């Protein structure tokens, strides 16, 4: 429920100049949240159990997006 | 009017003594995209928005105050036992000399809250689009705070709040659809 790979991330490689002072970040990631893709919520949307809904912050599984620091090693 | 329930919307737990995190959390307390700005923005826009979505603004605006209360609890827990020296090390000496460890509506850089952070254009589409943008900015702010924090219990509460911003944005997007549709015509999409 929490840590699986999310479909709601994108990334790009920032331009690397010859004289950039810091080691390159390689990949810059950003979030494309579920609300971008769903439109008006359809009927009979899949739900979490009551307890998981209270934990995650949403009743509806398609809106759930677990977030963690993408740069953490 | 409102009724008040004397409990937090989601339990707030902080497990490490790291007052620096309190400084970061102030961005969501008195910052431009914080919970206070959100609550004031939505509750104020209610009066001039089409009837069909007034209730939505009331619900979300009210919930933002419940979020504000969670952020306040996090900041309080992180600062209540801090000595002046610990606060100084956390970058909060400026806050301390003005407020002791009282909470105040500043952002993470110490800039006080201003009504100029929010808008009420009176144009329903303009206002709802601003609300969608505000939710995405609040979501992003939670991400950046989570990136800076390694307190698992604090992050748990922040993840809950971030998820709420996703749902709020979804509802504002639906509100745009509700007020855009042509009442007189029955359409099937
Ligand atoms: Fe929100």
């Amino acid at each position: 429920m929490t840590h699986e790979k999310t479909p709601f991330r994108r990334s790009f490689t920032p331009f690397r100049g010859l004289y950039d002072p810091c080691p390159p970040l390689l990949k810059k990631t950003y979030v494309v949240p579920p609300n971008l893709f769903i439109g008006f919520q359809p009927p009979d949307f899949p739900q979490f159990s009551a307890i998981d809904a209270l934990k995650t912050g949403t009743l509806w599984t398609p809106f759930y997006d677990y977030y963690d620091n993408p740069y953490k090693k | 009017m409102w009724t008040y329930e004397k409990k937090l919307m989601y339990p707030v737990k902080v497990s490490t003594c790291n007052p620096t995190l309190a400084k970061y959390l102030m961005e969501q307390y008195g910052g431009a995209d914080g919970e206070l700005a959100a609550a004031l923005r939505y509750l104020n826009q209610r009066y001039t928005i089409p009837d069909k979505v007034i209730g939505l603004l009331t619900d979300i605006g009210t919930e933002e105050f419940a979020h504000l209360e969670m952020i306040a609890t996090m900041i309080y827990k992180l600062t209540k036992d801090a000595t002046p020296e610990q606060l100084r090390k956390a970058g909060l000496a400026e806050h301390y000399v003005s407020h002791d460890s009282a909470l105040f509506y500043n952002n993470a850089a110490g800039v006080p809250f201003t009504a100029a952070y929010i808008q009420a254009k009176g144009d329903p589409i303009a206002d709802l689009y601003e609300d969608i943008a505000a939710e995405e900015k609040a979501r992003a702010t939670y991400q950046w705070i989570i990136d800076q924090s390694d307190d698992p219990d604090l992050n748990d509460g922040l993840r809950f709040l971030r998820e709420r911003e996703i749902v709020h944005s979804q509802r504002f997007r639906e509100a745009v659809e509700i007020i855009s549709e042509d009442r007189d015509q029955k359409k099937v999409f």
Side-chain angles (χ1 to χ4, degrees):
Chain A
M1 183 186 85
T2 43
H3 294 272
E4 77 235 18
K5 257 238 147 287
T6 155
F8 305 117
R9 299 293 178 274
R10 303 287 182 272
S11 63
F12 64 100
T13 311
F15 172 76
R16 182 87 193 134
L18 268 178
Y19 305 108
D20 290 354
C22 302
L25 194 53
L26 300 177
K27 254 168 88 185
K28 185 87 185 156
T29 67
Y30 58 98
V31 170
V32 283
N35 57 44
L36 278 179
F37 307 100
I38 292 168
F40 208 97
Q41 181 177 329
D44 302 320
F45 223 32
Q47 296 186 4
F48 282 118
S49 68
I51 190 74
D52 284 341
L54 286 171
K55 260 194 246 165
T56 55
T58 179
L59 179 56
W60 315 100
T61 55
F63 292 141
Y64 182 55
D65 175 35
Y66 179 88
Y67 180 84
D68 206 359
N69 179 1
Y71 304 101
K72 199 157 67 181
K73 303 231 168 76
Chain B
M1 71 172 251
W2 276 267
T3 52
Y4 181 76
E5 253 187 87
K6 202 177 156 82
K7 60 181 179 195
L8 291 174
M9 187 181 180
Y10 186 90
V12 163
K13 213 179 151 198
V14 186
S15 41
T16 41
C17 173
N18 181 3
T20 312
L21 293 175
K23 185 177 157 99
Y24 303 155
L25 286 164
M26 285 175 196
E27 192 63 30
Q28 285 294 41
Y29 196 61
D33 312 313
E35 303 292 356
L36 179 69
L40 298 180
R41 177 190 299 111
Y42 307 147
L43 294 176
N44 177 67
Q45 286 175 358
R46 292 182 294 167
Y47 299 92
T48 48
I49 209 97
D51 316 15
K52 279 183 171 177
V53 298
I54 292 175
L56 179 74
L57 285 173
T58 308
D59 286 353
I60 298 183
T62 302
E63 185 182 337
E64 304 295 4
F65 276 126
H67 295 175
L68 187 70
E69 198 178 38
M70 285 176 61
I71 298 292
T73 306
M74 291 170 178
I75 295 173
Y76 172 71
K77 278 175 184 269
L78 283 160
T79 51
K80 75 182 183 71
D81 297 313
T83 62
E85 195 192 339
Q86 283 173 313
L87 289 174
R88 186 171 68 241
K89 285 198 178 121
L92 285 167
E94 294 82 353
H95 184 96
Y96 180 80
V97 296
S98 181
H99 306 287
D100 192 339
S101 53
L103 277 72
F104 194 69
Y105 295 109
N106 285 334
N107 73 7
V111 179
F113 184 82
T114 162
Y117 286 155
I118 63 172
Q119 256 301 346
K121 192 47 70 179
D123 177 274
I125 295 297
D127 283 347
L128 287 170
Y129 272 63
E130 161 158 338
D131 300 345
I132 293 167
E135 293 295 337
E136 302 303 346
K137 288 189 276 183
R139 169 185 57 73
T141 306
Y142 280 120
Q143 290 164 198
W144 313 154
I145 299 174
I146 290 168
D147 292 353
Q148 291 292 342
S149 153
D150 37 29
D151 186 316
D153 289 318
L154 184 80
N155 284 353
D156 185 55
L158 295 176
R159 281 191 188 102
F160 172 89
L161 291 167
R162 175 182 175 275
E163 181 60 38
R164 295 309 301 153
E165 312 298 4
I166 292 175
V167 176
H168 289 171
S169 172
Q170 168 71 22
R171 299 305 173 221
F172 284 131
R173 287 165 198 269
E174 289 169 352
V176 171
E177 294 199 31
I178 289 170
I179 67 160
S180 322
E181 87 187 358
D182 198 342
R183 281 164 195 254
D184 303 326
Q185 257 165 302
K186 194 117 195 119
K187 280 186 205 139
V188 183
F189 293 100

